[in-house]
Amino acid sequence: VPSWVIMPVAYVLQFVGWVCGIKFRLNPFAVRMLLIHRWFDISDAERDLNYAPIVSYKQGWADTMDWFKKNWLPVHDPAMAKKLSAATSS
């Protein structure tokens, strides 16, 4: 999803959350953190300190994605849906 689409959605959710007293995981800060370009290079540590990673990049990335799926991605919660419905119908 392009940043110019997701950032306005994040601001809308932040406002809706403020009005309803709910904190959404998709907010402007989270979007900014997801859009940061990061590049990590361990070659100096490997050369100077004889460092060798315990977990490979491929395995570490797979573990990270599993964690995000279990802990960060929204899931359908009937109780939350009912709370949102009640808040918007008032």
Side-chain angles (χ1 to χ4, degrees), residues 56-82:
S56 70
Y57 175 82
K58 188 174 182 176
Q59 183 58 47
W61 188 250
D63 292 346
T64 300
M65 290 296 101
D66 287 341
W67 183 90
F68 269 98
K69 288 175 186 174
K70 292 176 187 169
N71 298 290
W72 195 85
L73 288 177
V75 294
H76 176 66
D77 180 3
M80 181 61 72
K82 187 175 181 180

Side-chain angles (χ1 to χ4, degrees), residues 10-27:
Y11 277 106
V12 168
L13 286 175
Q14 184 177 29
F15 178 74
V16 169
W18 177 75
V19 169
C20 297
I22 300 168
K23 186 171 183 176
F24 291 101
R25 290 181 177 166
L26 181 62
N27 57 53

Side-chain angles (χ1 to χ4, degrees), residues 40-51:
F40 302 100
D41 182 6
I42 64 167
S43 61
D44 289 344
E46 289 174 325
R47 183 189 68 236
D48 297 340
L49 305 172
N50 294 321
Y51 172 76

